Amino acid sequence: MFISLHQIRSSLERLKPIPPFFLITFLVCKKKKLPVGRQAAFGINKAETEFLETYYKPNERSRWYFRVSRVGRKQKNWIDAKYPSSTAQSTRTRGDISGAFLHDRDTDHWGWSENYLDILGLYLKKFTDERIPTFDLAVWLYRERVWPSYATPEDILKVFLEDFYISDKEIDYLFNCSIPRAVDASNLFSPGKVTWEDLRAITGLPPDMKDEGGTLSLLEMRGVGPAKELKMEFSERVNLITGDNGLGKTFLLEAAWWALSGSWTGTPMFPRNDAKKNEPAITFQISGSLAKSASMTAQYDWENRCWSCLEKRQTLPGLLIYARVDGAFAVWDPARSTSSDLDEENLLVFSREDVWDGLITKAGGRTKYLCNGLINDWVNWQNMPGVSPFKTLVKVLERLSPPGLAFGDLGNLSPGKPTRIPGESRLIPTIKHPYGEIPLIYASAAVRRIVALAYLLVWVWEEHKAQSALIREPPQRNMGILVDEVEAHLHPQWQRVILPALLDVIDDLEKFLEVQFFITTHSPLVMASIESRFDLDRDRIFHLNLVQRGQIGEVVLECPEFVRYGSADSWLTSGIFELKQPRSIEAEQALLEAIKLQRQDNVTTEDVRKISEDLQKYLPAHDKFWPRWTFFAEKHGVTL
C-alpha cells in the first residue's frame, strides 16, 4: 500500500506555514546525528542536496526541487540546485538561526549549540503559533514508501520519529505529534504509488518543464485575415467551422495550427492591407492538463516579415495532425525532439506525394528517412507476422468506409493482396471493390483521400509510441486533429458518416486518447450527421458570415446555438447555409414568383398561366408545393 494522493494533498496544506529550515536543514542534521555542544566534520551542503534529491524531487527529469513551505515574500513553488549553498547556507550562518549552530567560518565542522531548541522554538513562533505537524511531514517524505495493509497513521508517525532520531525534548519544543482529525483511514492509503502525473496537479510544473498535451481554448486575431477582428473560444472536443467560400475557413485552420504548433504549413499569414503598423496581432491560449496557461500574443514583425512571440510557452500541445484539402498533411509530435519547447524537429510537413512515397531529409551528407510512406509501410505491415500496425489500419479503414447499405455501393475499404504494376519495382497495395482488387494508386480521389487519412492516423500514433519509448516517456494522452473540407470528394452517402466515423476511430488507436477536432465543411449532410452526437458542453459551431456595412462587406464570426434541423434540406435553408430553397436557382425563382402572386389581390389568368408553365418546367411532379398551387390556379381559371 502507498499513501494516497488525497492524503498528500491535505498534508501539504498543513505544512505551508512551516519555514523551509525545519523541513530540510533540521531533518538533514538530525538524520546525520549532528552532535550537541561540540562540532564534528559534516559536509552539510552535500547532505542537503542528497536530502532534496531523495524527498523533494518529484520528477527525476527536472533539476528543481518542490518547495513545500509557502513562508517568505516570494512564496516560490520550486527551488533549484543552488539552494544548499546559497539560501540554506545564509539561513544557517546569519540571523535568527545562526545561534543554534556551532560553526567555524570556512570549515565543514558543525554542531548544535546547547540552547539550540530555545532558539529554534522562538524562530518557529515568528511564522506560526502551531508546532510542526509531524504526521503531515511524514506523509510527504514517505509518499513513495511501501506500507503494509494493516499500517495506521500512528505507524507512519513512529517511523518518522525513529528515522530522524527526534528526541522527547525536540517534540516538546517543535513538533505536534497528534494525528489530525481530518485524517480518514479509508482515504489514507491507495493500492498504487502516486505518480508524477498525479502529483503535478498539486505541485504544478518546475520551471524547466512544460505542460504537454494542451488543447487550444482561445484564438483572437487583429489586423490579419478576412475580418479586422476575430475571436474564437474553442470547445474541448468538436469545433465545426462553416461559411461561404473565401470567408476564411481554411485561414482559421491555418491560424489554429500555428497557435498550437508554432509553425506554418506554407506561407505565413500577412497582415491586412488596411492594418496599422502596431495593429496586427494573434493572441492564443492553450489549456494544459493542469490549467489554462496565460494567453500569449504574437505581433507582426514588419522588418523580418514574421510573427514574433516574445513569451515562452507554458503549455505545449499534444500530438497534432492536419489534413489539408489538397492531400497534403502536417504532423507535430512532441516526442520527436528532446527540447522542452517548440522545435523544428517536432514538425513534419508532407506533400501529397510524400504521404504515398515517403518523407526524407538530407543534412550533413546524411539521408534521414522520416517516414517510409503509405505504399512501403502498408506492404511491410501487411507482411509483418503477429500483432502489427496493419491490424489497426484495417480497423481504421473499416471505420472510415462508406456505409455500403445497398447493393452496388462501394462497401468497406478492405485491403487486398499487394500487386505489381508496369514500370514499378515496388509491390503496390490494393483495395477490394465489388468488381475486383484495385491498386491504390489507381483508386478514386475519394478513396485515396480517406486511405491517406487512415494511414496517417495509424502511422502518426505508432511512430509517436516508438519515439516516446526511445526517450523513456509515456505516449501523449491528447491529440489535435484538423481537417479541411472533411467532405471533399465524398459521395453524399459517405458524407453522412465520415464525421461520426472520425470521432469513433480514435478508439481503434487507443482508448485513453482525448482528441480536439477542428473541422471545416460546406456540407449539410456532414452537419446533419453530427446531430445525434453533438454534445452542447463539449462541441461548438462557428459560422463565418459576410454582412454589409455601408458600401463594403465585412466578415463576422458567429457562434450559433446548435439546432437539430433533421434533414439536409432543413440544414440548407438554416442560418448556416442560408439557402431560401433547397433546389435549383430556376426552381427557387419560380416558387418565389408563385408565392408572390398568391399574395396579390388582383390576379389575372395570364399571370397564373405563365407562372404555372415555369413551375411545370422546373418542379418535379411530386413536389409538395403542387397541391397548394393547383388549387390556386384552378380558382383563377387555369387547369393543370
Side-chain angles (χ1 to χ4, degrees):
M1 302 291 286
F2 295 87
I3 295 176
S4 69
L5 183 65
H6 169 81
Q7 185 57 58
I8 293 171
R9 188 191 302 271
S10 299
S11 292
L12 284 175
E13 283 296 317
R14 288 188 285 270
L15 288 171
K16 285 182 178 180
I18 308 303
F21 171 84
F22 293 102
L23 307 178
I24 302 171
T25 305
F26 179 80
L27 297 181
V28 169
C29 294
K30 290 300 299 178
K31 190 78 171 177
K32 297 295 183 178
K33 299 182 181 179
L34 195 68
V36 178
R38 63 182 179 84
Q39 297 183 36
F42 179 32
I44 193 168
N45 287 352
K46 181 181 178 182
E48 282 182 326
T49 299
E50 291 173 350
F51 188 83
L52 288 168
E53 288 282 332
T54 302
Y55 296 109
Y56 287 88
K57 196 173 186 180
N59 188 286
E60 291 300 319
R61 292 180 61 200
S62 174
R63 66 180 183 84
W64 292 75
Y65 308 112
F66 182 59
R67 189 175 188 268
V68 172
S69 172
R70 288 299 175 267
V71 171
R73 288 177 295 176
K74 294 183 179 180
Q75 296 190 358
K76 295 179 180 179
N77 285 6
W78 299 88
I79 53 178
D80 63 17
K82 298 178 182 178
Y83 178 82
S85 60
S86 58
T87 305
Q89 175 79 356
S90 177
T91 302
R92 294 191 303 266
T93 57
R94 301 172 189 170
D96 298 331
I97 290 182
S98 60
F101 288 100
L102 300 176
H103 172 62
D104 295 329
R105 190 172 180 177
D106 298 328
T107 70
D108 281 337
H109 287 75
W110 295 82
W112 292 120
S113 62
E114 295 287 354
N115 63 338
Y116 76 100
L117 285 177
D118 294 321
I119 295 171
L120 295 184
L122 290 174
Y123 180 70
L124 180 61
K125 286 181 180 179
K126 287 182 60 177
F127 299 94
T128 176
D129 292 331
E130 302 292 331
R131 288 179 292 170
I132 300 167
T134 317
F135 169 78
D136 295 307
L137 180 53
V139 162
W140 170 253
L141 298 178
Y142 298 138
R143 65 189 182 278
E144 295 185 353
R145 184 183 180 124
V146 180
W147 296 92
S149 57
Y150 52 81
T152 65
E154 288 75 14
D155 292 330
I156 297 174
L157 187 63
K158 180 181 178 183
V159 169
F160 171 82
L161 296 175
E162 291 176 352
D163 277 358
F164 292 95
Y165 308 105
I166 305 299
S167 67
D168 291 341
K169 192 172 182 181
E170 287 168 336
I171 292 174
D172 291 340
Y173 273 81
L174 302 174
F175 290 93
N176 175 3
C177 290
S178 63
I179 304 299
R181 292 182 179 179
V183 174
D184 183 350
S186 62
N187 290 325
L188 177 58
F189 294 107
S190 62
K193 182 172 67 174
V194 171
T195 66
W196 164 241
E197 296 297 323
D198 301 321
L199 198 58
R200 70 178 190 164
I202 302 173
T203 65
L205 291 172
D208 58 351
M209 295 187 70
K210 301 290 183 181
D211 191 6
E212 294 184 352
T215 57
L216 188 61
S217 54
L218 172 70
L219 181 62
E220 190 171 0
M221 290 173 280
R222 202 169 59 248
V224 60
K228 290 184 177 179
E229 292 189 12
L230 186 147
K231 181 178 181 180
M232 303 180 79
E233 294 182 1
F234 292 107
S235 68
E236 66 183 43
R237 193 178 71 141
V238 177
N239 297 277
L240 281 166
I241 304 172
T242 65
D244 204 350
N245 294 108
L247 297 189
K249 296 187 300 299
T250 300
F251 162 81
L252 291 180
L253 278 193
E254 293 284 347
W257 171 264
W258 176 84
L260 284 163
S261 70
S263 61
W264 302 103
T265 61
T267 304
M269 294 177 183
F270 191 75
R272 293 167 56 94
N273 291 334
D274 59 358
K276 299 175 182 177
K277 184 171 183 179
N278 296 324
E279 181 183 34
I282 304 176
T283 298
F284 60 93
Q285 189 173 35
I286 298 178
S287 298
S289 58
L290 303 179
K292 286 184 179 179
S293 65
S295 61
M296 302 180 67
T297 298
Q299 297 286 151
Y300 189 74
D301 185 336
W302 294 89
E303 183 178 349
N304 295 307
R305 300 179 186 180
C306 65
W307 293 90
S308 60
C309 197
L310 300 179
E311 309 102 313
K312 285 192 174 182
R313 287 176 177 244
Q314 296 174 318
T315 306
L316 297 179
L319 197 57
L320 301 176
I321 303 175
Y322 178 14
R324 293 175 48 166
V325 72
D326 60 0
F329 283 81
V331 174
W332 193 89
D333 185 350
R336 293 193 67 86
S337 170
T338 56
S339 170
S340 61
D341 209 333
L342 299 183
D343 194 292
E344 288 185 3
E345 291 185 33
N346 301 119
L347 175 68
L348 299 175
V349 178
F350 296 80
S351 68
R352 182 172 54 188
E353 291 73 24
D354 293 335
V355 174
W356 292 78
D357 298 324
L359 182 64
I360 64 174
T361 184
K362 293 187 177 182
R366 178 172 172 263
T367 300
K368 283 178 73 173
Y369 292 83
L370 303 177
C371 175
N372 294 322
L374 185 154
I375 292 175
N376 288 330
D377 274 338
W378 183 303
V379 174
N380 289 336
W381 292 349
Q382 193 167 1
N383 293 328
M384 191 181 297
V387 177
S388 76
F390 191 70
K391 291 186 177 181
T392 306
L393 178 63
V394 171
K395 290 180 183 178
V396 172
L397 284 171
E398 183 178 359
R399 186 87 71 175
L400 297 178
S401 294
L405 299 177
F407 178 77
D409 291 333
L410 189 60
N412 283 343
L413 297 176
S414 179
K417 293 182 179 180
T419 188
R420 289 290 301 272
I421 62 172
E424 272 278 2
S425 63
R426 298 177 296 178
L427 284 171
I428 303 299
T430 64
I431 201 83
K432 292 179 181 178
H433 283 347
Y435 47 83
E437 295 184 2
I438 306 299
L440 270 178
I441 62 174
Y442 298 149
S444 69
V447 171
R448 285 170 60 87
R449 190 187 193 208
I450 297 304
V451 164
L453 178 60
Y455 163 71
L456 255 296
L457 286 170
V458 175
W459 179 84
V460 166
W461 181 242
E462 293 294 330
E463 184 68 10
H464 173 69
K465 289 193 295 183
Q467 294 293 335
S468 296
L470 290 174
I471 62 173
R472 307 300 189 266
E473 283 292 313
Q476 287 287 322
R477 303 182 71 88
N478 291 81
M479 181 186 289
I481 297 179
L482 299 82
V483 183
D484 198 7
E485 294 189 26
V486 68
E487 73 280 2
H489 305 304
L490 303 186
H491 185 277
Q493 287 193 25
W494 211 341
Q495 292 182 31
R496 195 171 61 167
V497 298
I498 188 61
L499 185 50
L502 267 178
L503 299 186
D504 293 335
V505 82
I506 303 306
D507 286 340
D508 297 324
L509 301 180
E510 197 69 63
K511 296 289 185 183
F512 63 69
L513 271 176
E514 294 289 337
V515 180
Q516 184 181 32
F517 290 92
F518 303 85
I519 308 288
T520 70
T521 183
H522 296 113
S523 171
L525 284 166
V526 168
M527 300 302 293
S529 74
I530 198 65
E531 286 188 345
S532 62
R533 307 288 294 276
F534 199 89
D535 185 334
L536 295 175
D537 295 325
R538 302 176 65 207
D539 304 330
R540 193 161 295 166
I541 293 177
F542 299 94
H543 181 229
L544 290 163
N545 200 11
L546 186 64
V547 298
Q548 204 67 25
R549 305 288 194 199
Q551 299 298 314
I552 61 172
E554 183 178 331
V555 175
V556 296
L557 180 70
E558 302 164 343
C559 189
E561 290 187 10
F562 183 78
V563 177
R564 290 182 173 84
Y565 290 103
S567 69
D569 280 1
S570 296
W571 273 102
L572 281 171
T573 56
S574 71
I576 299 296
F577 295 100
E578 301 176 301
L579 268 67
K580 293 180 180 178
Q581 294 285 336
R583 55 183 86 235
S584 71
I585 293 176
E586 293 84 358
E588 178 182 309
Q589 187 60 40
L591 275 172
L592 292 176
E593 291 295 330
I595 294 170
K596 179 181 178 182
L597 187 64
Q598 287 178 324
R599 292 172 178 169
Q600 292 180 6
D601 294 330
N602 300 318
V603 179
T604 67
T605 301
E606 185 60 29
D607 289 337
V608 175
R609 184 174 290 109
K610 182 178 182 305
I611 296 292
S612 296
E613 290 175 356
D614 288 342
L615 291 174
Q616 287 174 322
K617 188 183 299 185
Y618 301 121
L619 261 63
H622 61 272
D623 196 285
K624 62 182 181 181
F625 184 70
W626 277 121
R628 173 182 170 185
W629 179 256
T630 301
F631 175 80
F632 177 81
E634 290 177 351
K635 182 179 176 182
H636 291 87
V638 177
T639 302
L640 301 177

